[in-house]
């Protein structure tokens, strides 16, 4: 059973995970981007913590809204509006929701988030973006198959892909051989969620 308490604990853990992995994420963004993904995400999640303390959201939907606004206003890079629209869609989809009682329900919720990312960024599976983690995670949640290994596998698969969207796509074939930074930050997001399932 996931209530507002678990959602908030998850996002607080994610803030910590981003802070701890900030350098790693920026290093992933160096060969195929501009080396700022860790800093971008850390700025966004720090802003979330600040706004969270100031606004003290009491519901799942309000919590997602605080996160979405923080990411849109502070991240700066391409990833900000993309994560921001994911969590804006989660805000809408979780209106009136006080608890999430199944992984299937959580999968449906994240599917609206994935739709937000794709509506904004137009990436499909295989384009070497965060979509390559979000999409399998949605499917795995629906089939009660989300695990540490499956999340890591989805992230790892971006290594052999050629980027078709975002900065990395400017490199063409030279983008092959590197893990996508947005896939890595998304893997951290869902790894942080695992302890709160069941
Ligand atoms: P920027 O590229 O503007 O510096 P970041 O480094 O913060 O932004 O984020 C880069 C990440 O954003 C990529 O690794 C990728 O996962 C994601 N991304 C970029 N463009 C798209 C897109 N069109 N659709 C989905 N994700 C994207
Ligand atoms: Mg970047
Ligand atoms: Mg940038």
């Amino acid at each position: 059973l996931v209530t507002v308490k678990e959602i908030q604990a998850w996002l607080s853990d994610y803030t910590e995970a981003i802070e701890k992995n900030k350098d790693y994420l920026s290093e992933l963004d160096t060969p195929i981007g501009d080396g700022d993904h860790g800093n971008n995400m850390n700025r966004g999640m720090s802003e979330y913590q600040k706004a969270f303390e100031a606004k003290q959201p009491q519901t799942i939907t309000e919590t997602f809204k605080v996160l979405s606004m923080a990411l849109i206003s502070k991240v700066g890079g391409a990833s900000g509006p993309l994560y921001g629209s994911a969590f804006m869609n989660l805000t809408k989809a979780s209106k009136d929701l006080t608890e999430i009682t199944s992984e299937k329900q959580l999968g449906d919720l994240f599917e609206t988030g994935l739709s937000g990312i794709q509506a904004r960024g137009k990436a499909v599976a295989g384009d070497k973006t965060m979509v390559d983690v979000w999409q399998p995670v949605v499917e795995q949640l629906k089939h009660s198959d989300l695990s540490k290994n499956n999340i890591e596998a989805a992230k790892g698969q971006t290594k052999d892909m050629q980027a078709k969207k975002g900065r990395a796509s400017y490199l063409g074939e030279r983008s092959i051989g590197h893990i996508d930074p947005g896939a890595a930050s998304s893997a951290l997001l869902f790894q942080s969620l695992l302890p709160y399932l069941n």
Side-chain angles (χ1 to χ4, degrees):
L1 197 79
V2 176
T3 68
V4 63
K5 185 165 145 272
E6 283 76 27
I7 293 289
Q8 293 178 348
W10 160 46
L11 295 176
S12 163
D13 292 353
Y14 182 54
T15 304
E16 251 176 65
I18 286 291
E19 192 173 14
K20 274 209 335 234
N21 289 279
K22 184 176 77 146
D23 293 345
Y24 165 68
L25 294 171
S26 285
E27 277 159 28
L28 290 179
D29 195 33
T30 300
I32 58 169
D34 55 357
D36 62 359
H37 186 60
N39 290 294
N40 287 346
M41 292 303 293
N42 194 44
R43 210 164 43 243
M45 294 312 293
S46 306
E47 174 64 19
Y48 163 72
Q49 282 305 337
K50 255 204 288 182
F52 179 83
E53 275 147 42
K55 296 187 175 149
Q56 309 215 358
Q58 302 291 324
T59 62
I60 294 175
T61 183
E62 283 169 35
T63 304
F64 285 147
K65 187 167 188 186
V66 169
L67 177 59
S68 171
M69 302 303 277
L71 294 170
I72 290 170
S73 66
K74 290 288 165 175
V75 170
S79 57
L82 291 163
Y83 274 112
S85 41
F87 285 103
M88 193 44 76
N89 278 8
L90 287 172
T91 303
K92 290 178 199 148
S94 62
K95 260 201 176 87
D96 311 321
L97 205 66
T98 56
E99 58 185 34
I100 299 159
T101 52
S102 68
E103 288 186 30
K104 165 83 172 66
Q105 196 186 355
L106 204 53
D108 290 342
L109 205 56
F110 283 128
E111 189 162 37
T112 71
L114 171 62
S115 300
I117 294 170
Q118 293 189 292
R120 180 162 267 278
K122 314 287 177 218
V124 296
D127 284 352
K128 196 183 182 94
T129 69
M130 58 177 75
V131 167
D132 292 304
V133 165
W134 279 74
Q135 187 159 291
V137 161
V138 164
E139 287 312 308
Q140 287 157 18
L141 276 169
K142 287 183 176 182
H143 300 99
S144 283
D145 206 19
L146 188 69
S147 68
K148 194 174 192 317
N149 286 346
N150 286 344
I151 296 168
E152 285 312 294
K155 165 187 157 185
Q157 277 174 4
T158 65
K159 187 166 179 177
D160 297 330
M161 293 174 184
Q162 179 174 335
K164 295 284 160 58
K165 288 284 183 294
R167 266 172 205 286
S169 67
Y170 307 158
L171 293 174
E173 285 184 359
R174 281 179 297 138
S175 64
I176 297 170
H178 306 278
I179 288 172
D180 177 64
S185 60
S186 297
L188 286 173
L189 178 69
F190 297 114
Q191 295 285 13
S192 302
L193 178 67
L194 284 177
Y196 299 102
L197 301 184
N198 304 310

